[in-house]
Amino acid sequence: MGPPASPEQQPRERAIVTSVSTFSIARRFCGPPDSGNGGYVAGTLAAALGGNAKVRLHAPPPLERELRIECDDREAKLLDDDQLLASGVADLDPIEVPPALSAEAAERAAARSRVFEEHVFPTCFVCGPDRAEGDGLRIFAGPHDPQARIVAAPWTPDASLCDGSGRVRTEFLWAALDCPGAFSFPQPPTPVLLGELAVQVDAPVAGGETCVLVAHEVEHRGRKHRTATGLYGQSGELRARSLATWIELSA
């Protein structure tokens, strides 16, 4: 008889699927024109894990197609037939974000946003300037402190984003925390897409509440950028935070 198998060689127990549900991404919630906004999709998966999670996007999620969410005792997966689109795990690691700014400072920063000069995806649900009020989120992050690569934008969520109690739903908090980070570093020569997003919700956000998003670049290595974003409520308290990994597409 040979030596016992190492831990790496031990067969891994199969996870037990505890729930299965389906949903489709409405065209309203696109990022690129033909796929879902990364934050919205990640937030939909995170809702199955209780809201605080880390989600990795593996492939562009198609619009208006029935997709499947499978949850087991370890993670949640978003699948298109057998293709893995996204996977998430519950995550409570602390996320450090830039300090709060006033709504006035955020408005001044947003007025300088580069979205008004160039935008790779102008119909993006979150940051697309071609989206109308009440349709897209219209979060236009602009430079507050260019040297520190800090950007900011105001945001007032409308009633269509809320649950029955008037609070903004998880997937829309995730969406709001997605795009601002991509504007904290200079526009690369090729588009950038969200690769991974971790979000912690500290307190709920009410519909109609005047909020401020503040983001900065944490790290840049090769084609990867890491950014942190804080979502502050009308009173200035931190309501939610995110840590994102962005990937520059190959030329």
Side-chain angles (χ1 to χ4, degrees), residues 68-90:
R68 188 171 75 256
I69 294 177
E70 291 185 357
C71 292
D72 58 38
D73 53 350
R74 289 193 289 262
E75 64 179 344
K77 297 178 180 179
L78 179 65
L79 300 143
D80 180 9
D81 291 329
D82 292 329
Q83 182 183 17
L84 180 64
L85 301 176
S87 58
V89 294

Side-chain angles (χ1 to χ4, degrees), residues 2 18 33 64 67 76 109 124 156-157 160 176 210 215 226 241:
T18 56
E64 299 182 339
L67 306 175
C124 173
T156 303
S160 72
T210 302
R226 297 183 76 207
R241 59 188 95 185

